[in-house]
């Protein structure tokens, strides 16, 4: 199973970006999908996650500015980021808690990360 994230880049303060992520491989079921970010020299932190039933949890630093969503028919998770600020500069990682075909255990898979840089 691999997770591929798209949509990172460079944006000025106040701008917007939309990240996308799709797991691929022999996937049986996906439960929670989410996003984390890691700034240089800091620990990885939660942005948001969304369960298969649509319930959402946001990290405190992004409430009201970022919106997570998913398309279960495509196994996609999205992160709409508005009013981006320099402190949002980080590598953003997508995650998926999933079960592989023929497997019995749920396991969290991580994407490779996509860089978001906010600067004037």
């Amino acid at each position: 199973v691999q997770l591929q994230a798209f949509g990172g880049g460079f944006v000025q303060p106040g701008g917007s970006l939309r990240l996308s992520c799709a797991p691929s491989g022999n996937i049986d079921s996906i439960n929670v999908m989410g996003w984390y970010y890691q700034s240089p020299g800091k620990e990885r932190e939660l942005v948001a996650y969304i369960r298969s039933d649509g319930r959402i949890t946001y990290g405190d630093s992004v409430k009201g500015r970022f919106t997570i969503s998913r398309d279960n028919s495509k196994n996609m998770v999205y992160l709409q980021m508005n009013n981006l600020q320099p402190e949002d500069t980080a590598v953003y990682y997508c995650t998926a808690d999933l079960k592989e075909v023929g497997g019995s255990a749920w396991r969290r898979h991580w994407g490779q990360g996509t860089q978001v840089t906010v600067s004037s």
Side-chain angles (χ1 to χ4, degrees), residues 33-59:
M33 303 183 81
W35 293 93
Y36 289 75
Y37 70 97
Q38 187 167 22
S39 304
K42 296 186 178 181
E43 293 186 353
R44 198 169 293 186
E45 296 185 47
L46 172 70
V47 178
Y49 61 84
I50 181 169
R51 298 171 178 82
S52 56
D53 62 5
R55 288 181 293 161
I56 293 171
T57 297
Y58 288 102

